[in-house]
Amino acid sequence: ALTLDELCLRKCEINDEGLQGLIERAANNCKVINLSGNYDITALGLRNLHTSLQSERCRLKRLHLNTSIGDDDAEIFARSLVGNKSLKHLRVVYDGDYGWEHSITLAGWFAFSNVLCDTSTVNNTYLSNHTLQELRDYNYETYWDYFEDVEECEQIIGRNLASYLQLNKAHPQ
């Protein structure tokens, strides 16, 4: 069986259709996939990641993306991490030169917080993602640097999300 440690497809003009054809096999055979610089990958393309990330065969430990998604898409993408046992580092690249603006608000980041520790039931807490250790933008140190009012962000989700990521890092599955 063919396995690769790293697949760098940076600036290869991959679009949603290309991602759909690539991602299942790549996620099952690579530890690192770098898709940064592929500006034609949209929220639709990210939805194709859902099945691959939830697969028991997924080996992917690090994923680098360029995208401009909103809160609804962030929630869909975050849900794809439920049950994922491999992805430890997720980096989303924001490229202001390409005309994108940050479109994930506190609500979108809260979706990731819920995936990392869903306390709605005991079973949901057990099924929460206990693998993801890093969630960030290349241009920022942490996800909360997006917001002007850092204190408000930390009050709402920052402390919880940071704590969940640190807990996953300290106690990997």
Side-chain angles (χ1 to χ4, degrees), residues 131-160:
T131 309
L132 192 66
Q133 298 173 5
E134 179 184 44
L135 175 62
R136 61 176 260 176
D137 183 308
Y138 276 130
N139 300 319
Y140 293 89
E141 187 172 323
T142 61
Y143 62 90
W144 57 73
D145 290 338
Y146 281 113
F147 305 101
E148 291 178 21
D149 190 349
V150 175
E151 189 173 305
E152 177 188 10
C153 177
E154 287 180 346
Q155 287 174 355
I156 296 173
I157 62 164
R159 254 182 263 125
N160 288 344

PDB file of all heavy atoms in Angstrom, residues 131-160:
ATOM      1  N   THR A 131      -8.530  14.777  20.231  1.00  0.00           N
ATOM      2  CA  THR A 131      -7.302  14.661  19.464  1.00  0.00           C
ATOM      3  C   THR A 131      -6.730  16.013  19.050  1.00  0.00           C
ATOM      4  O   THR A 131      -5.532  16.225  19.137  1.00  0.00           O
ATOM      5  CB  THR A 131      -7.547  13.807  18.201  1.00  0.00           C
ATOM      6  OG1 THR A 131      -8.178  12.580  18.580  1.00  0.00           O
ATOM      7  CG2 THR A 131      -6.252  13.499  17.486  1.00  0.00           C
ATOM      8  N   LEU A 132      -7.581  16.936  18.583  1.00  0.00           N
ATOM      9  CA  LEU A 132      -7.116  18.229  18.072  1.00  0.00           C
ATOM     10  C   LEU A 132      -6.375  19.008  19.154  1.00  0.00           C
ATOM     11  O   LEU A 132      -6.872  19.180  20.257  1.00  0.00           O
ATOM     12  CB  LEU A 132      -8.307  19.053  17.560  1.00  0.00           C
ATOM     13  CG  LEU A 132      -7.949  20.292  16.752  1.00  0.00           C
ATOM     14  CD1 LEU A 132      -7.278  19.915  15.432  1.00  0.00           C
ATOM     15  CD2 LEU A 132      -9.193  21.127  16.482  1.00  0.00           C
ATOM     16  N   GLN A 133      -5.146  19.444  18.835  1.00  0.00           N
ATOM     17  CA  GLN A 133      -4.302  20.149  19.797  1.00  0.00           C
ATOM     18  C   GLN A 133      -3.993  21.583  19.381  1.00  0.00           C
ATOM     19  O   GLN A 133      -3.569  22.386  20.194  1.00  0.00           O
ATOM     20  CB  GLN A 133      -2.979  19.401  19.975  1.00  0.00           C
ATOM     21  CG  GLN A 133      -3.161  18.015  20.516  1.00  0.00           C
ATOM     22  CD  GLN A 133      -1.853  17.231  20.533  1.00  0.00           C
ATOM     23  OE1 GLN A 133      -0.782  17.748  20.231  1.00  0.00           O
ATOM     24  NE2 GLN A 133      -1.942  15.971  20.891  1.00  0.00           N
ATOM     25  N   GLU A 134      -4.182  21.895  18.104  1.00  0.00           N
ATOM     26  CA  GLU A 134      -3.859  23.233  17.622  1.00  0.00           C
ATOM     27  C   GLU A 134      -4.892  23.644  16.581  1.00  0.00           C
ATOM     28  O   GLU A 134      -5.195  22.906  15.656  1.00  0.00           O
ATOM     29  CB  GLU A 134      -2.470  23.243  16.984  1.00  0.00           C
ATOM     30  CG  GLU A 134      -2.077  24.590  16.444  1.00  0.00           C
ATOM     31  CD  GLU A 134      -0.736  24.558  15.722  1.00  0.00           C
ATOM     32  OE1 GLU A 134      -0.492  23.622  14.938  1.00  0.00           O
ATOM     33  OE2 GLU A 134       0.053  25.472  15.966  1.00  0.00           O
ATOM     34  N   LEU A 135      -5.427  24.839  16.754  1.00  0.00           N
ATOM     35  CA  LEU A 135      -6.394  25.415  15.835  1.00  0.00           C
ATOM     36  C   LEU A 135      -6.001  26.866  15.664  1.00  0.00           C
ATOM     37  O   LEU A 135      -6.097  27.653  16.597  1.00  0.00           O
ATOM     38  CB  LEU A 135      -7.803  25.296  16.429  1.00  0.00           C
ATOM     39  CG  LEU A 135      -8.950  25.951  15.678  1.00  0.00           C
ATOM     40  CD1 LEU A 135      -9.117  25.326  14.310  1.00  0.00           C
ATOM     41  CD2 LEU A 135     -10.229  25.814  16.487  1.00  0.00           C
ATOM     42  N   ARG A 136      -5.492  27.220  14.471  1.00  0.00           N
ATOM     43  CA  ARG A 136      -4.996  28.579  14.316  1.00  0.00           C
ATOM     44  C   ARG A 136      -4.922  29.009  12.871  1.00  0.00           C
ATOM     45  O   ARG A 136      -5.046  28.214  11.962  1.00  0.00           O
ATOM     46  CB  ARG A 136      -3.640  28.751  14.974  1.00  0.00           C
ATOM     47  CG  ARG A 136      -2.559  27.865  14.396  1.00  0.00           C
ATOM     48  CD  ARG A 136      -1.237  28.138  15.003  1.00  0.00           C
ATOM     49  NE  ARG A 136      -0.500  28.992  14.083  1.00  0.00           N
ATOM     50  CZ  ARG A 136       0.674  29.492  14.334  1.00  0.00           C
ATOM     51  NH1 ARG A 136       1.241  29.282  15.486  1.00  0.00           N
ATOM     52  NH2 ARG A 136       1.302  30.228  13.460  1.00  0.00           N
ATOM     53  N   ASP A 137      -4.683  30.286  12.712  1.00  0.00           N
ATOM     54  CA  ASP A 137      -4.477  30.918  11.418  1.00  0.00           C
ATOM     55  C   ASP A 137      -2.985  31.156  11.291  1.00  0.00           C
ATOM     56  O   ASP A 137      -2.316  31.494  12.256  1.00  0.00           O
ATOM     57  CB  ASP A 137      -5.251  32.245  11.404  1.00  0.00           C
ATOM     58  CG  ASP A 137      -5.172  32.972  10.091  1.00  0.00           C
ATOM     59  OD1 ASP A 137      -4.044  33.176   9.595  1.00  0.00           O
ATOM     60  OD2 ASP A 137      -6.216  33.352   9.571  1.00  0.00           O
ATOM     61  N   TYR A 138      -2.426  30.981  10.110  1.00  0.00           N
ATOM     62  CA  TYR A 138      -1.006  31.235   9.903  1.00  0.00           C
ATOM     63  C   TYR A 138      -0.593  32.639  10.326  1.00  0.00           C
ATOM     64  O   TYR A 138       0.488  32.856  10.818  1.00  0.00           O
ATOM     65  CB  TYR A 138      -0.649  31.109   8.420  1.00  0.00           C
ATOM     66  CG  TYR A 138      -0.375  29.725   7.952  1.00  0.00           C
ATOM     67  CD1 TYR A 138      -1.006  29.236   6.827  1.00  0.00           C
ATOM     68  CD2 TYR A 138       0.521  28.903   8.608  1.00  0.00           C
ATOM     69  CE1 TYR A 138      -0.748  27.967   6.359  1.00  0.00           C
ATOM     70  CE2 TYR A 138       0.781  27.628   8.158  1.00  0.00           C
ATOM     71  CZ  TYR A 138       0.145  27.172   7.037  1.00  0.00           C
ATOM     72  OH  TYR A 138       0.391  25.915   6.577  1.00  0.00           O
ATOM     73  N   ASN A 139      -1.462  33.601  10.075  1.00  0.00           N
ATOM     74  CA  ASN A 139      -1.100  34.993  10.302  1.00  0.00           C
ATOM     75  C   ASN A 139      -1.311  35.455  11.737  1.00  0.00           C
ATOM     76  O   ASN A 139      -1.000  36.587  12.069  1.00  0.00           O
ATOM     77  CB  ASN A 139      -1.899  35.910   9.364  1.00  0.00           C
ATOM     78  CG  ASN A 139      -1.614  35.571   7.924  1.00  0.00           C
ATOM     79  OD1 ASN A 139      -0.480  35.304   7.560  1.00  0.00           O
ATOM     80  ND2 ASN A 139      -2.633  35.562   7.107  1.00  0.00           N
ATOM     81  N   TYR A 140      -1.847  34.590  12.566  1.00  0.00           N
ATOM     82  CA  TYR A 140      -2.139  34.956  13.940  1.00  0.00           C
ATOM     83  C   TYR A 140      -1.594  33.885  14.867  1.00  0.00           C
ATOM     84  O   TYR A 140      -1.539  32.721  14.514  1.00  0.00           O
ATOM     85  CB  TYR A 140      -3.650  35.113  14.154  1.00  0.00           C
ATOM     86  CG  TYR A 140      -4.204  36.279  13.400  1.00  0.00           C
ATOM     87  CD1 TYR A 140      -4.652  36.129  12.097  1.00  0.00           C
ATOM     88  CD2 TYR A 140      -4.233  37.539  13.973  1.00  0.00           C
ATOM     89  CE1 TYR A 140      -5.139  37.216  11.386  1.00  0.00           C
ATOM     90  CE2 TYR A 140      -4.712  38.630  13.271  1.00  0.00           C
ATOM     91  CZ  TYR A 140      -5.168  38.451  11.985  1.00  0.00           C
ATOM     92  OH  TYR A 140      -5.639  39.522  11.285  1.00  0.00           O
ATOM     93  N   GLU A 141      -1.246  34.289  16.052  1.00  0.00           N
ATOM     94  CA  GLU A 141      -0.707  33.332  17.011  1.00  0.00           C
ATOM     95  C   GLU A 141      -1.776  32.330  17.440  1.00  0.00           C
ATOM     96  O   GLU A 141      -1.524  31.153  17.560  1.00  0.00           O
ATOM     97  CB  GLU A 141      -0.152  34.076  18.226  1.00  0.00           C
ATOM     98  CG  GLU A 141       0.578  33.171  19.191  1.00  0.00           C
ATOM     99  CD  GLU A 141       1.268  33.951  20.276  1.00  0.00           C
ATOM    100  OE1 GLU A 141       1.784  35.041  20.002  1.00  0.00           O
ATOM    101  OE2 GLU A 141       1.261  33.451  21.409  1.00  0.00           O
ATOM    102  N   THR A 142      -2.983  32.839  17.692  1.00  0.00           N
ATOM    103  CA  THR A 142      -4.080  31.973  18.113  1.00  0.00           C
ATOM    104  C   THR A 142      -5.370  32.450  17.479  1.00  0.00           C
ATOM    105  O   THR A 142      -5.448  33.542  16.935  1.00  0.00           O
ATOM    106  CB  THR A 142      -4.261  31.993  19.647  1.00  0.00           C
ATOM    107  OG1 THR A 142      -4.556  33.331  20.037  1.00  0.00           O
ATOM    108  CG2 THR A 142      -3.033  31.486  20.357  1.00  0.00           C
ATOM    109  N   TYR A 143      -6.410  31.649  17.560  1.00  0.00           N
ATOM    110  CA  TYR A 143      -7.686  31.976  16.946  1.00  0.00           C
ATOM    111  C   TYR A 143      -8.301  33.236  17.526  1.00  0.00           C
ATOM    112  O   TYR A 143      -9.008  33.945  16.853  1.00  0.00           O
ATOM    113  CB  TYR A 143      -8.665  30.799  17.095  1.00  0.00           C
ATOM    114  CG  TYR A 143      -8.964  30.492  18.527  1.00  0.00           C
ATOM    115  CD1 TYR A 143     -10.020  31.099  19.164  1.00  0.00           C
ATOM    116  CD2 TYR A 143      -8.148  29.649  19.256  1.00  0.00           C
ATOM    117  CE1 TYR A 143     -10.258  30.862  20.498  1.00  0.00           C
ATOM    118  CE2 TYR A 143      -8.371  29.411  20.574  1.00  0.00           C
ATOM    119  CZ  TYR A 143      -9.437  30.014  21.196  1.00  0.00           C
ATOM    120  OH  TYR A 143      -9.665  29.796  22.512  1.00  0.00           O
ATOM    121  N   TRP A 144      -8.031  33.569  18.770  1.00  0.00           N
ATOM    122  CA  TRP A 144      -8.701  34.740  19.349  1.00  0.00           C
ATOM    123  C   TRP A 144      -8.073  36.053  18.906  1.00  0.00           C
ATOM    124  O   TRP A 144      -8.613  37.108  19.155  1.00  0.00           O
ATOM    125  CB  TRP A 144      -8.815  34.672  20.862  1.00  0.00           C
ATOM    126  CG  TRP A 144      -7.534  34.514  21.611  1.00  0.00           C
ATOM    127  CD1 TRP A 144      -6.575  35.448  21.807  1.00  0.00           C
ATOM    128  CD2 TRP A 144      -7.077  33.345  22.263  1.00  0.00           C
ATOM    129  NE1 TRP A 144      -5.540  34.931  22.536  1.00  0.00           N
ATOM    130  CE2 TRP A 144      -5.827  33.634  22.833  1.00  0.00           C
ATOM    131  CE3 TRP A 144      -7.607  32.060  22.419  1.00  0.00           C
ATOM    132  CZ2 TRP A 144      -5.101  32.705  23.547  1.00  0.00           C
ATOM    133  CZ3 TRP A 144      -6.883  31.140  23.142  1.00  0.00           C
ATOM    134  CH2 TRP A 144      -5.643  31.466  23.685  1.00  0.00           C
ATOM    135  N   ASP A 145      -6.942  36.015  18.215  1.00  0.00           N
ATOM    136  CA  ASP A 145      -6.353  37.240  17.681  1.00  0.00           C
ATOM    137  C   ASP A 145      -7.201  37.845  16.572  1.00  0.00           C
ATOM    138  O   ASP A 145      -6.945  38.959  16.134  1.00  0.00           O
ATOM    139  CB  ASP A 145      -4.939  36.981  17.147  1.00  0.00           C
ATOM    140  CG  ASP A 145      -3.955  36.693  18.273  1.00  0.00           C
ATOM    141  OD1 ASP A 145      -4.230  37.081  19.413  1.00  0.00           O
ATOM    142  OD2 ASP A 145      -2.921  36.071  17.994  1.00  0.00           O
ATOM    143  N   TYR A 146      -8.208  37.118  16.085  1.00  0.00           N
ATOM    144  CA  TYR A 146      -9.114  37.647  15.079  1.00  0.00           C
ATOM    145  C   TYR A 146      -9.944  38.818  15.604  1.00  0.00           C
ATOM    146  O   TYR A 146     -10.403  39.643  14.852  1.00  0.00           O
ATOM    147  CB  TYR A 146     -10.145  36.580  14.670  1.00  0.00           C
ATOM    148  CG  TYR A 146      -9.659  35.545  13.720  1.00  0.00           C
ATOM    149  CD1 TYR A 146      -9.535  34.227  14.125  1.00  0.00           C
ATOM    150  CD2 TYR A 146      -9.360  35.858  12.400  1.00  0.00           C
ATOM    151  CE1 TYR A 146      -9.135  33.248  13.239  1.00  0.00           C
ATOM    152  CE2 TYR A 146      -8.958  34.879  11.521  1.00  0.00           C
ATOM    153  CZ  TYR A 146      -8.850  33.578  11.949  1.00  0.00           C
ATOM    154  OH  TYR A 146      -8.449  32.619  11.076  1.00  0.00           O
ATOM    155  N   PHE A 147     -10.169  38.820  16.882  1.00  0.00           N
ATOM    156  CA  PHE A 147     -11.181  39.702  17.433  1.00  0.00           C
ATOM    157  C   PHE A 147     -10.577  40.951  18.054  1.00  0.00           C
ATOM    158  O   PHE A 147      -9.542  40.890  18.693  1.00  0.00           O
ATOM    159  CB  PHE A 147     -12.007  38.947  18.483  1.00  0.00           C
ATOM    160  CG  PHE A 147     -12.590  37.680  17.922  1.00  0.00           C
ATOM    161  CD1 PHE A 147     -11.992  36.457  18.192  1.00  0.00           C
ATOM    162  CD2 PHE A 147     -13.693  37.715  17.090  1.00  0.00           C
ATOM    163  CE1 PHE A 147     -12.509  35.297  17.655  1.00  0.00           C
ATOM    164  CE2 PHE A 147     -14.209  36.558  16.550  1.00  0.00           C
ATOM    165  CZ  PHE A 147     -13.614  35.351  16.826  1.00  0.00           C
ATOM    166  N   GLU A 148     -11.268  42.075  17.878  1.00  0.00           N
ATOM    167  CA  GLU A 148     -10.814  43.320  18.475  1.00  0.00           C
ATOM    168  C   GLU A 148     -10.948  43.272  19.988  1.00  0.00           C
ATOM    169  O   GLU A 148     -10.105  43.759  20.715  1.00  0.00           O
ATOM    170  CB  GLU A 148     -11.619  44.491  17.912  1.00  0.00           C
ATOM    171  CG  GLU A 148     -11.318  44.757  16.457  1.00  0.00           C
ATOM    172  CD  GLU A 148     -12.165  45.880  15.905  1.00  0.00           C
ATOM    173  OE1 GLU A 148     -12.677  46.703  16.692  1.00  0.00           O
ATOM    174  OE2 GLU A 148     -12.313  45.931  14.675  1.00  0.00           O
ATOM    175  N   ASP A 149     -12.025  42.706  20.456  1.00  0.00           N
ATOM    176  CA  ASP A 149     -12.278  42.644  21.887  1.00  0.00           C
ATOM    177  C   ASP A 149     -11.859  41.272  22.410  1.00  0.00           C
ATOM    178  O   ASP A 149     -12.669  40.368  22.560  1.00  0.00           O
ATOM    179  CB  ASP A 149     -13.757  42.912  22.192  1.00  0.00           C
ATOM    180  CG  ASP A 149     -14.016  43.105  23.682  1.00  0.00           C
ATOM    181  OD1 ASP A 149     -13.107  42.821  24.489  1.00  0.00           O
ATOM    182  OD2 ASP A 149     -15.118  43.539  24.023  1.00  0.00           O
ATOM    183  N   VAL A 150     -10.562  41.120  22.642  1.00  0.00           N
ATOM    184  CA  VAL A 150     -10.011  39.832  23.085  1.00  0.00           C
ATOM    185  C   VAL A 150     -10.625  39.405  24.409  1.00  0.00           C
ATOM    186  O   VAL A 150     -10.925  38.235  24.618  1.00  0.00           O
ATOM    187  CB  VAL A 150      -8.467  39.913  23.190  1.00  0.00           C
ATOM    188  CG1 VAL A 150      -7.903  38.637  23.766  1.00  0.00           C
ATOM    189  CG2 VAL A 150      -7.865  40.188  21.832  1.00  0.00           C
ATOM    190  N   GLU A 151     -10.836  40.346  25.277  1.00  0.00           N
ATOM    191  CA  GLU A 151     -11.400  40.018  26.587  1.00  0.00           C
ATOM    192  C   GLU A 151     -12.782  39.393  26.445  1.00  0.00           C
ATOM    193  O   GLU A 151     -13.086  38.389  27.090  1.00  0.00           O
ATOM    194  CB  GLU A 151     -11.486  41.287  27.441  1.00  0.00           C
ATOM    195  CG  GLU A 151     -11.854  41.002  28.884  1.00  0.00           C
ATOM    196  CD  GLU A 151     -11.766  42.267  29.722  1.00  0.00           C
ATOM    197  OE1 GLU A 151     -10.696  42.905  29.722  1.00  0.00           O
ATOM    198  OE2 GLU A 151     -12.775  42.595  30.357  1.00  0.00           O
ATOM    199  N   GLU A 152     -13.618  39.958  25.565  1.00  0.00           N
ATOM    200  CA  GLU A 152     -14.954  39.388  25.350  1.00  0.00           C
ATOM    201  C   GLU A 152     -14.844  37.989  24.767  1.00  0.00           C
ATOM    202  O   GLU A 152     -15.534  37.072  25.187  1.00  0.00           O
ATOM    203  CB  GLU A 152     -15.775  40.276  24.417  1.00  0.00           C
ATOM    204  CG  GLU A 152     -17.138  39.698  24.116  1.00  0.00           C
ATOM    205  CD  GLU A 152     -17.885  40.471  23.037  1.00  0.00           C
ATOM    206  OE1 GLU A 152     -17.280  41.351  22.392  1.00  0.00           O
ATOM    207  OE2 GLU A 152     -19.066  40.168  22.842  1.00  0.00           O
ATOM    208  N   CYS A 153     -13.950  37.815  23.795  1.00  0.00           N
ATOM    209  CA  CYS A 153     -13.764  36.505  23.188  1.00  0.00           C
ATOM    210  C   CYS A 153     -13.341  35.477  24.224  1.00  0.00           C
ATOM    211  O   CYS A 153     -13.878  34.383  24.280  1.00  0.00           O
ATOM    212  CB  CYS A 153     -12.727  36.581  22.073  1.00  0.00           C
ATOM    213  SG  CYS A 153     -12.358  34.993  21.325  1.00  0.00           S
ATOM    214  N   GLU A 154     -12.369  35.852  25.060  1.00  0.00           N
ATOM    215  CA  GLU A 154     -11.909  34.915  26.089  1.00  0.00           C
ATOM    216  C   GLU A 154     -13.017  34.591  27.071  1.00  0.00           C
ATOM    217  O   GLU A 154     -13.137  33.461  27.527  1.00  0.00           O
ATOM    218  CB  GLU A 154     -10.701  35.489  26.817  1.00  0.00           C
ATOM    219  CG  GLU A 154      -9.450  35.463  25.967  1.00  0.00           C
ATOM    220  CD  GLU A 154      -8.243  36.029  26.683  1.00  0.00           C
ATOM    221  OE1 GLU A 154      -8.412  36.687  27.735  1.00  0.00           O
ATOM    222  OE2 GLU A 154      -7.132  35.822  26.182  1.00  0.00           O
ATOM    223  N   GLN A 155     -13.847  35.574  27.393  1.00  0.00           N
ATOM    224  CA  GLN A 155     -14.948  35.327  28.321  1.00  0.00           C
ATOM    225  C   GLN A 155     -15.949  34.342  27.733  1.00  0.00           C
ATOM    226  O   GLN A 155     -16.466  33.480  28.429  1.00  0.00           O
ATOM    227  CB  GLN A 155     -15.673  36.632  28.660  1.00  0.00           C
ATOM    228  CG  GLN A 155     -14.893  37.529  29.573  1.00  0.00           C
ATOM    229  CD  GLN A 155     -15.586  38.874  29.774  1.00  0.00           C
ATOM    230  OE1 GLN A 155     -16.600  39.168  29.159  1.00  0.00           O
ATOM    231  NE2 GLN A 155     -15.022  39.683  30.645  1.00  0.00           N
ATOM    232  N   ILE A 156     -16.218  34.480  26.442  1.00  0.00           N
ATOM    233  CA  ILE A 156     -17.240  33.645  25.821  1.00  0.00           C
ATOM    234  C   ILE A 156     -16.706  32.259  25.487  1.00  0.00           C
ATOM    235  O   ILE A 156     -17.275  31.252  25.866  1.00  0.00           O
ATOM    236  CB  ILE A 156     -17.808  34.331  24.567  1.00  0.00           C
ATOM    237  CG1 ILE A 156     -18.516  35.622  24.983  1.00  0.00           C
ATOM    238  CG2 ILE A 156     -18.757  33.418  23.812  1.00  0.00           C
ATOM    239  CD1 ILE A 156     -18.963  36.477  23.832  1.00  0.00           C
ATOM    240  N   ILE A 157     -15.615  32.194  24.731  1.00  0.00           N
ATOM    241  CA  ILE A 157     -15.121  30.876  24.320  1.00  0.00           C
ATOM    242  C   ILE A 157     -13.637  30.672  24.518  1.00  0.00           C
ATOM    243  O   ILE A 157     -13.185  29.545  24.591  1.00  0.00           O
ATOM    244  CB  ILE A 157     -15.435  30.574  22.844  1.00  0.00           C
ATOM    245  CG1 ILE A 157     -14.746  31.575  21.948  1.00  0.00           C
ATOM    246  CG2 ILE A 157     -16.900  30.458  22.588  1.00  0.00           C
ATOM    247  CD1 ILE A 157     -14.678  31.162  20.505  1.00  0.00           C
ATOM    248  N   GLY A 158     -12.865  31.739  24.555  1.00  0.00           N
ATOM    249  CA  GLY A 158     -11.416  31.616  24.525  1.00  0.00           C
ATOM    250  C   GLY A 158     -10.827  30.723  25.579  1.00  0.00           C
ATOM    251  O   GLY A 158     -10.049  29.828  25.283  1.00  0.00           O
ATOM    252  N   ARG A 159     -11.208  30.946  26.817  1.00  0.00           N
ATOM    253  CA  ARG A 159     -10.640  30.129  27.894  1.00  0.00           C
ATOM    254  C   ARG A 159     -11.029  28.675  27.738  1.00  0.00           C
ATOM    255  O   ARG A 159     -10.206  27.794  27.911  1.00  0.00           O
ATOM    256  CB  ARG A 159     -11.097  30.672  29.244  1.00  0.00           C
ATOM    257  CG  ARG A 159      -9.998  31.405  29.962  1.00  0.00           C
ATOM    258  CD  ARG A 159     -10.424  31.907  31.313  1.00  0.00           C
ATOM    259  NE  ARG A 159     -10.808  33.308  31.131  1.00  0.00           N
ATOM    260  CZ  ARG A 159     -11.982  33.824  31.466  1.00  0.00           C
ATOM    261  NH1 ARG A 159     -12.882  33.087  32.022  1.00  0.00           N
ATOM    262  NH2 ARG A 159     -12.239  35.077  31.254  1.00  0.00           N
ATOM    263  N   ASN A 160     -12.278  28.415  27.391  1.00  0.00           N
ATOM    264  CA  ASN A 160     -12.722  27.030  27.231  1.00  0.00           C
ATOM    265  C   ASN A 160     -12.013  26.350  26.073  1.00  0.00           C
ATOM    266  O   ASN A 160     -11.488  25.250  26.222  1.00  0.00           O
ATOM    267  CB  ASN A 160     -14.233  26.969  27.005  1.00  0.00           C
ATOM    268  CG  ASN A 160     -15.013  27.276  28.260  1.00  0.00           C
ATOM    269  OD1 ASN A 160     -14.475  27.242  29.356  1.00  0.00           O
ATOM    270  ND2 ASN A 160     -16.269  27.589  28.091  1.00  0.00           N
TER     271      ASN A 160
END
